[in-house]
């Protein structure tokens, strides 16, 4: 009997229930309060809740959890969707954000990369680009 079929009948597997998107991601930070400033003030994310160990932020469909950790300063592998990496770069330079990658074409679109206050690398990628390998 397949798992999840309480009646023991034959069950045909489809794509129902399979992942369709990344819903939320966690970013390691040393000091939650200090890091909230970067994500809320610079990236204009809304703080939903926070305590000493974590903070929950959202902007549009982008949801993140800042989680207190001693292991920071990593390439998170996270790509936040933006309309234009060029416009985002122009705006964030004015905010004093450190860029570690100038806008560059990748298979999923043009992206650039920034460093947060804990030296974590966050990528910003255009959302409407076609895949090109």
């Amino acid at each position: 009997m397949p798992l999840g079929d309480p009646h023991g009948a034959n069950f045909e597997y489809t794509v129902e229930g399979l992942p369709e998107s990344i819903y939320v991601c966690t970013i390691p930070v040393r000091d939650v309060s200090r890091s909230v400033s970067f994500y809320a003030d610079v990236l204009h994310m809304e703080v939903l809740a926070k305590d000493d160990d974590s903070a929950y932020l959202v902007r549009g469909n982008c949801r993140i959890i800042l989680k207190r950790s001693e292991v920071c300063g990593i390439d998170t592998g996270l790509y936040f969707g933006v309309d234009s990496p060029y416009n985002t770069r122009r705006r964030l330079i004015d905010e004093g954000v450190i860029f570690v990658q100038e806008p560059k074409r990748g298979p999923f679109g043009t992206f650039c990369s920034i460093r947060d206050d804990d030296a974590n690398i966050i990528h910003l990628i255009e959302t409407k680009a076609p895949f090109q390998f």
Side-chain angles (χ1 to χ4, degrees):
M1 167 176 24
L3 291 176
D5 188 351
H7 305 292
N10 289 333
F11 181 79
E12 184 177 327
Y13 287 99
T14 64
V15 296
E16 293 175 13
L18 298 179
E20 295 179 359
S21 68
I22 295 173
Y23 187 73
V24 67
C25 63
T26 301
I27 300 172
V29 298
R30 285 183 176 53
D31 181 325
V32 172
S33 293
R34 179 180 53 81
S35 295
V36 163
S37 295
F38 177 82
Y39 288 90
D41 298 341
V42 177
L43 298 183
H44 295 272
M45 299 189 87
E46 177 186 355
V47 180
L48 301 176
K50 110 178 169 52
D51 59 27
D52 291 339
D53 292 321
S54 57
Y56 302 85
L57 297 94
V58 64
R59 177 163 172 67
N61 290 325
C62 184
R63 296 169 181 85
I64 64 170
I65 300 169
L66 301 178
K67 192 82 162 164
R68 190 170 61 79
S69 175
E70 295 305 315
V71 180
C72 299
I74 63 170
D75 181 347
T76 62
L78 300 174
Y79 287 76
F80 290 169
V82 297
D83 288 335
S84 166
Y86 297 102
N87 291 340
T88 303
R89 182 177 182 278
R90 188 176 306 119
R91 177 187 180 137
L92 294 181
I93 283 175
D94 291 343
E95 299 279 343
V97 172
I98 297 170
F99 279 77
V100 296
Q101 173 66 60
E102 302 292 322
K104 173 182 173 181
R105 178 78 186 144
F108 285 107
T110 301
F111 71 96
C112 57
S113 307
I114 62 174
R115 193 173 75 201
D116 73 5
D117 293 337
D118 287 291
N120 295 309
I121 306 300
I122 307 293
H123 309 281
L124 308 167
I125 190 165
E126 64 181 321
T127 56
K128 299 203 181 351
F131 180 79
Q132 292 180 330
F133 190 66

